[in-house]
Amino acid sequence: MIAVPRLLQDILLITAARRPQHLALVGTDARVSYREVADYACRLAHALRARSIQRGDRVVIFMDNGWQCAAAIFGVLLAGGVFVTVNCQTKARKLAFILRDSGARALLAEPALARVFQPAVEQLPDLTVLCAGGEALLAGVEDLAAILADQPAVPPAQSAIGLDLAALIYTSGTTGHPKGVMHTHQSLLFVLDSINQYLDFSQEDRLFSILPLNFGYGLFQWLSAVRAGATLVLERSFAYPVQVFKRMQDEAVTSFASVPTIYAMMLAHDAKYPLCFPSLRVVTNAAAALPAEFIPGIRRLFPQARLYKMYGQTECIRSAYLDPVLAEIKPDSVGRAIPGTELLLLDERGRSVVPGEVGILHVRGPHLMRGYWNQPEKTAEVLVPGPLPGEVLLKSGDLFRQDAEGDLYFVARNDEIIKSRGEKVSPDEVENAIYSLSAVREAAVVGVPDPVLGEAVCAFVTLRDDAQVTAQQIKRACGERLENYMVPKYVLILPELPRTLNGKLSRKLILQQYGALIAKAA
């Protein structure tokens, strides 16, 4: 048996050997043990090898957020390939781009998604397409279930080393096309062990996730569970909150990972129908800043849980976390570097800034991406020379300040800072002021062109059910907490705010969808 994981797939083989009958994953339609996951992954690996998938080949996984998608990740790795998970809500044009850009050799899909992947694969005649069952498969598409039945449930011989690519994780790009973030076995294993160390996961834990597996934060719920020998309870979406809450109770989950949008919805539900999850011991937030005003409500929902506020980005998965004992003391902080890494705040000239000053966050550690797939120029912009000869740092592009104790506070993304009246405005700071109103469910602040101000501060707000507040009242609340130049010129109260496929609020999408309303208001 493998003693120490050197490749990412080793964590599954180790856990399956130690705890074969232990429940690995609970989906909405299946409960599978570690042996069943490992058997599926091994059979898939042999099937891919038989179709000429070789070391380093990219395999796109286009499946719903279920156990087969989770197991397929390890199947691709065991075949020596590089997994590329794509959200099942992705449209045909974007899927086609990812298939072409990654140079994918194979696509793993599901029948329900045929209307999306069919137009893409018709343009790629050399692509191997395996579909998980279903009738009337397209010409050239193979039935994955039938293929796996004839394959051995033992791992194929391995040839990869830790420096080989394990994953391409596509993230939004400024050009309109997503960028493929290259992670090696080594970088993913390192950050996985760092995360599991501070979250203290054990084989007794039951992690609950509603996050898509193509999303770094969601992917690591599965990897963390496998590494610890724990159980992942995986939900497909948050479309039916009452069902989600019931599963959390029924499965006695101990860890809950989510994003501010979901916490906002839970708190709104709790205001009408009180919720409580006493079995939880760990609650985490990442992907977007958690408003300090949410913390008392989260404490009420999860009375026994430690709340971890975290910060990271796809290029390094995770950078910082706040010690839970500081959640109320420093509610706006994301804490310090994860174990085994270092964070530096530097100015544009690469010089360290003093506590209290704003600097660009630079990340140092073995968890950095190798670069952006096929984009050396973009890679050179963010992987910059470090303090030691031959070393590189990840220049995050995010602005932070640090207090005297060394804890970090997110200010804004460098490209989202609003410049109004000659002053710099942090959208997050304005959003936090808006969240002080209990009627507010969600808020997003952007800058819009203004002939006098340069940029005007504009707030988009949704309200909790049956709550009432006016735009003027929101401006007044901001005026009580912020400098005059930070008070929104425009406040638009809307029924919903658009989100990315990963559930995050997107200022870019909001401007695209509601820009015309701003023009009318002006």
Side-chain angles (χ1 to χ4, degrees):
M1 186 183 76
I2 301 168
V4 177
R6 301 189 185 280
L7 302 174
L8 190 57
Q9 60 266 32
D10 292 346
I11 65 173
L12 174 63
L13 300 179
I14 290 171
T15 301
R18 290 175 177 170
R19 313 190 77 200
Q21 302 307 321
H22 188 69
L23 196 58
L25 191 146
V26 178
T28 54
D29 58 354
R31 304 171 77 85
V32 292
S33 69
Y34 273 104
R35 171 166 289 169
E36 289 172 313
V37 173
D39 284 357
Y40 183 96
C42 290
R43 293 178 192 276
L44 176 57
H46 284 288
L48 291 171
R49 287 272 183 93
R51 282 149 185 81
S52 302
I53 298 303
Q54 301 177 9
R55 177 178 174 180
D57 285 344
R58 280 74 60 204
V59 178
V60 171
I61 303 171
F62 185 49
M63 294 179 166
D64 204 351
N65 216 40
W67 80 269
Q68 288 180 310
C69 179
I73 290 169
F74 287 104
V76 173
L77 292 170
L78 283 164
V82 179
F83 70 87
V84 187
T85 49
V86 177
N87 193 298
C88 65
Q89 298 181 46
T90 297
K91 301 298 186 288
R93 181 175 296 181
K94 184 174 179 180
L95 175 63
F97 171 82
I98 292 173
L99 288 168
R100 290 194 305 270
D101 185 69
S102 66
R105 292 286 310 279
L107 169 68
L108 306 178
E110 295 177 336
L113 300 172
R115 58 181 176 78
V116 180
F117 72 73
Q118 179 178 359
V121 302
E122 286 177 345
Q123 304 170 34
L124 300 166
D126 295 331
L127 183 72
T128 296
V129 183
L130 306 180
C131 196
E135 299 179 358
L137 295 177
L138 302 171
V141 176
E142 298 183 78
D143 185 341
L144 183 58
I147 292 169
L148 297 188
D150 297 328
Q151 300 298 327
V154 294
Q158 302 294 293
S159 59
I161 65 170
L163 289 176
D164 288 352
L165 288 188
L168 271 186
I169 305 176
Y170 275 83
T171 185
S172 298
T174 56
T175 62
H177 290 304
K179 296 176 292 188
V181 176
M182 297 187 286
H183 272 292
T184 66
H185 290 267
Q186 188 177 70
S187 65
L188 294 179
L189 278 172
F190 175 86
V191 73
L192 174 60
D193 281 343
S194 184
I195 291 169
N196 277 24
Q197 177 183 331
Y198 71 76
L199 292 179
D200 193 27
F201 285 134
S202 77
Q203 63 185 22
E204 304 307 319
D205 276 307
R206 297 173 67 85
L207 287 67
F208 188 91
S209 178
I210 52 178
L211 305 168
L213 290 167
N214 74 291
F215 182 26
Y217 189 18
L219 171 65
F220 269 73
Q221 301 311 306
W222 173 226
L223 298 182
S224 285
V226 176
R227 184 69 173 110
T231 299
L232 176 68
V233 181
L234 184 61
E235 189 71 34
R236 294 184 186 275
S237 74
F238 199 67
Y240 302 100
V242 174
Q243 293 182 19
V244 172
F245 302 150
K246 185 177 187 303
R247 287 192 75 206
M248 291 174 66
Q249 298 282 14
D250 292 347
E251 298 292 344
V253 297
T254 62
S255 173
F256 180 73
S258 197
V259 295
T261 296
I262 300 299
Y263 287 122
M265 295 171 70
M266 293 181 75
L267 293 174
H269 188 281
D270 177 66
K272 298 179 69 175
Y273 308 102
L275 298 169
C276 186
F277 304 97
S279 69
L280 268 291
R281 72 168 192 86
V282 173
V283 175
T284 64
N285 177 83
L290 183 71
E293 288 75 17
F294 284 18
I295 294 177
I298 291 174
R299 290 291 194 202
R300 187 173 62 252
L301 297 181
F302 309 102
Q304 305 300 322
R306 302 194 303 270
L307 172 61
Y308 288 85
K309 295 180 63 180
M310 308 185 300
Y311 164 83
Q313 56 190 121
T314 309
E315 288 81 352
C316 63
I317 306 297
R318 194 70 44 78
S319 302
Y321 77 99
L322 181 69
D323 188 323
V325 301
L326 299 176
E328 278 87 9
I329 300 171
K330 298 182 177 183
D332 295 320
S333 175
V334 294
R336 306 182 187 186
I338 65 173
T341 72
E342 188 175 4
L343 300 176
L344 309 174
L345 288 188
L346 308 176
D347 63 18
E348 287 290 357
R349 296 184 178 181
R351 300 173 302 189
S352 297
V353 301
V354 300
E357 287 187 355
V358 174
I360 302 169
L361 187 75
H362 289 67
V363 184
R364 183 170 183 247
H367 58 326
L368 305 188
M369 68 170 181
R370 180 174 290 176
Y372 295 123
W373 181 261
N374 288 334
Q375 297 196 48
E377 296 84 4
K378 289 290 183 184
T379 298
E381 291 175 8
V382 298
L383 292 182
V384 299
L388 299 179
E391 180 188 39
V392 295
L393 303 177
L394 173 66
K395 183 178 181 181
S396 73
D398 290 347
L399 302 178
F400 280 80
R401 61 180 176 82
Q402 193 172 40
D403 63 23
E405 290 77 37
D407 290 306
L408 293 162
Y409 298 78
F410 179 79
V411 175
R413 282 199 57 80
N414 197 29
D415 56 3
E416 290 183 344
I417 284 286
I418 302 168
K419 297 176 182 178
S420 185
R421 305 184 194 180
E423 302 282 356
K424 293 183 178 180
V425 178
S426 164
D428 289 73
E429 192 171 352
V430 182
E431 289 167 5
N432 288 337
I434 296 171
Y435 278 121
S436 68
L437 294 168
S438 60
V440 172
R441 186 177 71 182
E442 292 182 302
V445 171
V446 300
V448 296
D450 186 278
V452 176
L453 304 176
E455 284 187 296
V457 180
C458 179
F460 298 89
V461 177
T462 65
L463 304 181
R464 295 187 178 184
D465 292 343
D466 302 325
Q468 293 185 352
V469 68
T470 66
Q472 195 57 40
Q473 288 172 321
I474 292 172
K475 291 181 180 181
R476 189 179 305 121
C478 290
E480 292 171 355
R481 293 165 175 78
L482 304 170
E483 293 86 346
N484 288 341
Y485 64 85
M486 301 180 74
V487 175
K489 180 177 180 179
Y490 307 112
V491 174
L492 282 72
I493 299 176
L494 303 167
E496 293 291 340
L497 295 179
R499 299 177 178 82
T500 67
L501 294 179
N502 293 331
K504 295 192 291 184
L505 288 181
S506 167
R507 296 185 176 109
K508 180 179 179 181
L509 289 178
I510 290 168
L511 273 176
Q512 289 175 350
Q513 188 165 332
Y514 295 109
L517 292 179
I518 302 172
K520 287 183 180 179

